């Protein structure tokens, strides 16, 4: 499982405040704690600070690279200009992921050349101009079109991560199952991988962390390759470690036992 740490996201009030006041200690601490907890990538989202997103992205990336010189970054932005600014601001030896494109042709046309030029991994949301997918098959069809389109341009599909878009079960009770159904279908596209942001699934319900962690366990079994999540959340860590042990990807349950000894499990 590829872990993408979600904590540096400007939709969180504390993060927004820290970016606004240029509190480097807060941002470097959030990067450090996530990397120490096993995050393979650090997601960076500065989109809430409209108007200053480019400068904010530039500053946050310099702070993270200062703290962790070989940090891998997942650039999370709806703005082409902010993504471009981030790619230019990144001088480290690590690897980059762009979050995200979709089936939207204008978006593909602007972002894909950047992903090719800077040799990044790329997240593609399985939706297009027609809107949000309902069924597992809708998600697969959207993924298939993007896959063909991106491949035609010479992008290495081994670096492509499809996000089948999780929706809240509180209002759409069939959507978690449809998401899970889409995973093996999408992974039938040679080389393609899957990713998701977990927390939408639990929106509107109490004890959200429990739902998120349980759903993560199901998604890992269904073939999820990567997830944007909080690597410091004990419920999440418990799901990751129990899944590895139960699915035989954690040799002699070593990581599970290690996490237990370190008091990291619920
Ligand atoms: N797919 C892709 N990218 C994404 C998402 C996705 N990027 C953003 C988001 N979804 C994932 N990142 C976060 C970051 C922080 C939080 C949630 C998702 C967060 N949530 C609050 C918390 O946990 O305290 C709760 C917020 C709430 O109550 O709504 O911090 O799906 N490709």
């Amino acid at each position: 499982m590829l872990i993408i740490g979600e904590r540096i996201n400007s939709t969180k009030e504390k993060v927004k405040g820290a970016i606004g006041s240029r509190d480097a200690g807060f941002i470097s601490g959030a990067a450090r704690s996530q990397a120490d907890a096993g995050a393979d990538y650090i997601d960076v989202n500065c989109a809430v600070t409209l108007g200053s997103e480019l400068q904010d992205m530039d500053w946050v990336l310099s702070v993270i690279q200062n703290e962790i010189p070989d940090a891998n970054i997942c650039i999370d932005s709806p703005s082409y200009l902010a993504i471009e600014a981030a790619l230019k601001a990144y001088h480290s030896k690590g690897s980059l992921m762009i979050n995200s494109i979709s089936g939207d042709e204008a978006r593909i046309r602007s972002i894909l050349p950047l992903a090719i030029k800077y040799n990044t991994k790329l997240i593609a949301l399985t939706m297009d101009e027609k809107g949000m997918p309902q069924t597992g098959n809708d998600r697969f069809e959207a993924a298939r079109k993007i896959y063909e389109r991106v491949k035609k341009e010479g992008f290495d599909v081994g670096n492509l991560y499809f996000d089948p878009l999780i929706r809240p079960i509180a209002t759409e009770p069939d959507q978690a199952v449809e998401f899970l159904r889409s995973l093996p279908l999408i992974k039938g596209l040679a080389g393609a991988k899957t990713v998701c942001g977990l927390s939408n699934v639990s929106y509107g319900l109490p004890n959200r962390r429990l739902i998120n962690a349980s759903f993560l366990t199901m998604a890992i079994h269904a073939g999820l390759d990567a997830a944007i999540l909080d690597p410091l959340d004990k419920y999440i860590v418990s799901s990751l470690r129990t899944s590895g042990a139960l699915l035989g990807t954690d040799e002699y349950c070593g990581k599970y036992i290690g996490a237990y000894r370190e008091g990291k499990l619920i």
Side-chain angles (χ1 to χ4, degrees):
M1 272 293 283
L2 193 78
I3 305 299
I4 305 165
E6 72 177 19
R7 294 172 71 97
I8 304 182
N9 190 307
S10 60
T11 59
K12 292 163 79 94
E13 279 305 320
K14 278 189 182 167
V15 175
K16 186 180 166 191
I19 294 173
S21 65
R22 294 293 187 254
D23 181 350
F26 183 94
I27 298 296
S28 59
R32 168 61 58 199
S33 63
Q34 293 187 99
D36 287 351
D40 300 294
Y41 281 74
I42 310 282
D43 189 271
V44 176
N45 175 308
C46 302
V48 161
T49 50
L50 287 175
S52 61
E53 188 185 359
L54 269 62
Q55 297 91 309
D56 292 345
M57 186 61 98
D58 192 88
W59 177 76
V60 170
L61 284 193
S62 72
V63 170
I64 296 175
Q65 290 175 97
N66 216 19
E67 175 70 22
I68 308 172
D70 59 353
N72 302 322
I73 306 285
C74 177
I75 306 163
D76 188 347
S77 176
S79 155
Y80 163 82
L81 290 172
I83 291 173
E84 192 184 37
L87 292 168
K88 287 184 177 160
Y90 187 77
H91 303 295
S92 303
K93 284 196 290 286
S95 156
L96 290 171
M97 182 180 270
I98 296 177
N99 185 7
S100 55
I101 61 165
S102 68
D104 180 73
E105 180 56 26
R107 182 88 177 158
I108 292 180
R109 226 175 267 167
S110 65
I111 305 290
L112 190 57
L114 290 177
I116 292 171
K117 178 177 172 190
Y118 288 90
N119 191 26
T120 74
K121 296 182 189 300
L122 181 60
I123 296 179
L125 311 179
T126 62
M127 59 183 288
D128 54 26
E129 293 92 337
K130 282 175 268 162
M132 292 289 273
Q134 288 295 330
T135 65
N137 209 50
D138 288 348
R139 288 166 165 89
F140 168 68
E141 279 302 323
R144 195 179 54 75
K145 280 186 207 148
I146 297 167
Y147 181 88
E148 296 302 338
R149 173 78 177 78
V150 160
K151 201 174 165 184
K152 202 177 75 189
E153 300 294 331
F155 185 78
D156 174 5
V157 290
N159 286 328
L160 193 55
Y161 288 76
F162 285 106
D163 181 342
L165 299 164
I166 292 177
R167 304 229 288 277
I169 50 168
T171 48
E172 298 180 278
D174 63 338
Q175 282 300 308
V177 174
E178 295 300 336
F179 172 93
L180 294 171
R181 282 190 182 132
S182 76
L183 295 177
L185 297 176
I186 293 170
K187 284 163 66 75
L189 300 166
K193 298 180 181 66
T194 51
V195 64
C196 71
L198 272 179
S199 57
N200 267 351
V201 74
S202 59
Y203 191 76
L205 291 172
N207 205 0
R208 293 185 61 183
R209 297 163 69 202
L210 179 57
I211 302 271
N212 295 345
S214 299
F215 190 57
L216 177 59
T217 303
M218 295 179 185
I220 290 172
H221 182 226
L224 188 71
D225 298 290
I228 306 168
L229 48 73
D230 182 354
L232 300 179
D233 182 335
K234 256 191 169 185
Y235 285 80
I236 293 288
V237 174
S238 300
S239 162
L240 291 170
R241 293 293 163 251
T242 52
S243 296
L246 289 163
L247 295 172
T249 55
D250 176 12
E251 208 177 341
Y252 299 112
C253 305
K255 287 185 175 175
Y256 173 80
I257 294 166
Y260 169 74
R261 289 201 179 125
E262 289 170 26
K264 289 182 178 165
L265 302 181
I266 48 175

